[in-house]
Amino acid sequence: MSLDNLIDGRAIAKEVHAETEARVAALKADGVEPCLVFIRVGEDPASRVYVGMKERTAAKLGIRSETTVLPEDTPEAELLELLEKLNADDSVHGVLVQAPLPGHIDETKVFSTVSPGKDIDGFHPVNVGKLMLGEGGGFVPCTPGGVHELLIRSGVPVEGAKVVVLGRGNIVGKPMTAILCQKDKHANATVTLCHSRSRDVAEHCRRADILVAAMGVADFVKADMCKPGATVIDVGVNRVDDTAAEKGYRLVGDVDFAAVQPIAGKITPNPGGVGPMTIAMLMRNTVRAAEQQTGKGNPTI
Ligand code: GUN
């Protein structure tokens, strides 16, 4: 079976990292050490892994990072107070509160408390609004931003393409739609957003030139939902029970890769597709935050 249609997220993330590293060097030459603070509340196992990966990448690129881990029962007010302190600290350029948060904490309130200029996740209403208005200058959420970058750097034509986004979450589906329908030469797509109440999802998918699966249902996209030659992007990370696996589970995407890969024109592997790009965009956003806040370095994007 030929696998020459894979979009190599790790290789493309490396390209982005190289650009980010050059910007870190320019900032440091100007006396600024970019700094990112992670906040994790509780011990969600997936969040521990994700924050760990982000910490290691920051260190590799020369970005200083600090992680605060708060207990699961931390009152919301305490978290908000910590965010206000970080907002006021000029040595901190980016703040990331890892989601999901415990049920007693209002995520929207938390994301709205991080100052928009330090909101390298792009979740603050000001940044969400800038994206919707097509204003530029704000921070774009890292996962859909990473998918966009994958499409551009893999030479997938987006302008005029029929795109179907599966999933309407605030972290991926909704911003993905906004990015791809912008009036811009790397966007200008005709975007359809399908969700759990959509009718005829398979029919929508079969029309797509580009299919972005981000609804969090294991192996949802099957061969008969993919137009031959379409580009398929798998954002999903789902745990499925597997007694044969060491941990008792394995991680699978939203796309049935074995079935869809032979039909797709281009497809992301999972892992090794979207995941590395999410982290690459986070690092790029952090460096941009540091450049904007200090007026130093060599802003290029
Ligand atoms: N949880 C899942 N994805 C993300 C993300 O991009 N940012 C944050 N802060 N939490 C997440």
Side-chain angles (χ1 to χ4, degrees), residues 215-238:
M215 83 294 251
V217 180
D219 289 337
F220 179 84
V221 176
K222 303 289 185 192
D224 66 350
M225 296 163 75
C226 176
K227 180 167 82 170
T231 297
V232 180
I233 307 288
D234 188 0
V235 182
V237 183
N238 308 290

Side-chain angles (χ1 to χ4, degrees), residues 50 54 96-100 111 121 123 142-143 171 278:
Y50 291 141
K54 292 169 187 176
L96 180 146
V97 184
Q98 185 68 27
F111 294 144
D121 257 327
F123 294 165
C142 301
T143 301
I171 292 183
T278 296

